[in-house]
């Protein structure tokens, strides 16, 4: 155990690029939903057209690119998408400049370079996904299958294979959300900037009650430690509020004995990722 902790301590500051591989002795015989996984809320959304810049202050939830988030150790990506003129882009109440196809190429390049890692991609149509037909959805699902190929795990793979078996069979992409149907259960916790600690209380209280049940029934438990503003009252910069949330998460999460499942975060901090990864030991 001491050697494992020392090895992990040496690895984590470098970015956690291969933390699942490095912890294979601890997580090798576990199913995906029994592993504690750091995640990024609204990944891929980085910048917006100038004409919606002011309105988008609270829309941006990350400062890192998808590749940087993966290097940081996040293995769950919340990818919210919208559609305009048959083009699919990342969105969070407003349209970003980032296209989904570019983000998926980043993911594909990254996972091929890290053969010991497994990813959960939660691709969800946001409110401005305007297509009234299923054609765009079907096209996107086809594009996902063409890009990731046999790496996409089936429902049977997800239910029956352990981490090591997923890696050995190269089934390393779990698609959830609107584009596959793997089981997922989510806790959406929100708070205003003046009460940011509430979000951590909600997550800490939800995990023992619902996280354990999610593991038992085969779901992926996603606790959202994301800070949402109260319209008309919040003026604090979102990154400042999120720093307070991360500090509280780092204090509370090690006290939880149960499996954490996925912890989805805004403006993910490496120190918080480290705490979640270490919880697997």
């Amino acid at each position: 155990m001491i050697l494992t902790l020392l090895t992990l301590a040496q690895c984590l500051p470098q970015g956690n690029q291969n933390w699942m591989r490095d912890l294979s002795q601890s997580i090798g015989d576990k199913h995906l939903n029994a592993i504690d996984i750091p995640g990024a809320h609204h990944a891929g959304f980085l910048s917006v057209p100038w004409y919606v810049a002011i309105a988008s202050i609270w829309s941006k939830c990350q400062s890192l690119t998808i590749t940087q988030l993966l290097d940081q150790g996040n293995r769950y990506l919340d990818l919210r998408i919208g559609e305009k003129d048959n083009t699919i882009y990342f969105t969070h109440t407003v349209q970003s400049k980032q296209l989904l196809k570019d983000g998926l190429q980043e993911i594909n390049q990254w996972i091929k370079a890290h053969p010991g890692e497994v990813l959960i991609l939660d691709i969800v149509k946001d409110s401005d996904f305007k297509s009234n037909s299923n054609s765009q959805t079907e096209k996107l699902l086809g594009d996902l299958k063409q890009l990731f190929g046999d790496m996409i795990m089936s429902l049977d793979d997800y239910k029956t294979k352990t981490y090591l078996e997923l890696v050995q069979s190269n089934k390393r992409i779990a698609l959830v959300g609107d584009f596959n149907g793997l089981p997922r259960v989510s806790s959406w916790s929100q708070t205003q900037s003046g009460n940011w600690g509430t979000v951590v209380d909600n997550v800490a209280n939800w995990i023992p009650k619902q996280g354990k049940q999610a593991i038992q029934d085969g779901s992926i438990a996603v606790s959202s430690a994301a800070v949402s503003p109260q319209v008309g009252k919040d003026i604090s910069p979102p990154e400042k509020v999120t720093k307070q949330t991360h500090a509280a998460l780092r204090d509370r999460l090690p006290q939880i004995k149960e499996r954490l499942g996925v912890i989805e975060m805004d403006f993910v901090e490496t120190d918080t990722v480290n705490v979640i990864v270490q919880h697997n030991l």
Side-chain angles (χ1 to χ4, degrees), residues 5-22:
L5 287 171
L6 288 174
T7 301
L8 184 61
Q10 293 171 348
C11 172
L12 292 181
Q14 301 173 14
N16 295 330
Q17 292 95 333
N18 298 292
W19 71 260
M20 299 183 93
R21 180 201 66 187
D22 294 338

Side-chain angles (χ1 to χ4, degrees), residues 8-231:
L8 184 61
Q10 293 171 348
C11 172
L12 292 181
Q14 301 173 14
N16 295 330
Q17 292 95 333
N18 298 292
W19 71 260
M20 299 183 93
R21 180 201 66 187
D22 294 338
L23 296 188
S24 58
Q25 289 188 343
S26 297
I27 67 174
D29 61 350
K30 294 180 179 178
H31 290 86
L32 187 59
N33 71 333
I35 300 173
D36 299 329
I37 295 175
H41 178 230
H42 279 288
F45 186 108
L46 291 175
S47 59
V48 297
W50 65 268
Y51 49 85
V52 292
I54 295 179
S56 68
I57 291 175
W58 274 93
S59 294
K60 181 179 176 182
C61 296
Q62 306 296 337
S63 57
L64 301 178
T65 67
I66 285 177
T67 298
Q68 290 170 331
L69 287 169
L70 293 171
D71 283 344
Q72 190 184 44
N74 296 285
R75 297 295 175 264
Y76 167 92
L77 297 180
D78 168 44
L79 305 173
R80 307 294 180 95
I81 59 174
E83 174 202 0
K84 183 178 181 181
D85 299 329
N86 292 320
T87 299
I88 300 177
Y89 50 85
F90 293 110
T91 183
H92 186 193
T93 68
V94 296
Q95 175 185 344
S96 75
K97 292 181 179 179
Q98 286 70 46
L99 301 181
L100 175 65
K101 66 177 183 178
D102 296 332
L104 293 176
Q105 285 292 348
E106 279 191 71
I107 294 168
N108 190 42
Q109 292 173 7
W110 189 92
I111 196 167
K112 287 181 177 179
H114 299 82
E117 305 306 293
V118 178
L119 303 181
I120 303 172
L121 305 183
D122 194 354
I123 306 176
V124 179
K125 293 182 285 187
D126 210 0
S127 57
D128 59 348
F129 197 96
K130 301 182 185 303
S131 178
N132 292 322
S133 70
N134 291 325
S135 60
Q136 189 67 274
T137 300
E138 292 172 358
K139 180 181 183 302
L140 177 55
L141 184 56
D143 290 344
L144 289 167
K145 291 179 178 178
Q146 182 175 7
L147 181 64
F148 297 122
D150 291 339
M151 282 192 291
I152 297 176
M153 65 183 73
S154 67
L155 183 59
D156 185 63
D157 293 326
Y158 165 76
K159 286 184 174 181
T160 63
K161 286 183 169 62
T162 64
Y163 159 75
L164 278 180
E165 290 170 337
L166 289 171
V167 170
Q168 290 165 357
S169 60
N170 200 31
K171 298 294 184 180
R172 298 188 294 118
I173 296 282
L175 290 179
V176 295
D178 293 338
F179 294 93
N180 199 44
L182 293 185
R184 177 193 193 278
V185 58
S186 177
S187 165
W188 179 254
S189 304
Q190 62 181 13
T191 181
Q192 56 185 8
S193 61
N195 258 339
W196 55 265
T198 303
V199 71
V200 179
D201 290 338
N202 288 348
V203 169
N205 292 332
W206 184 83
I207 289 172
K209 298 176 182 178
Q210 300 298 328
K212 184 177 180 180
Q213 182 62 41
I215 292 175
Q216 291 175 347
D217 64 20
S219 300
I220 298 174
V222 181
S223 299
S224 185
V227 181
S228 297
Q230 188 175 44
V231 177

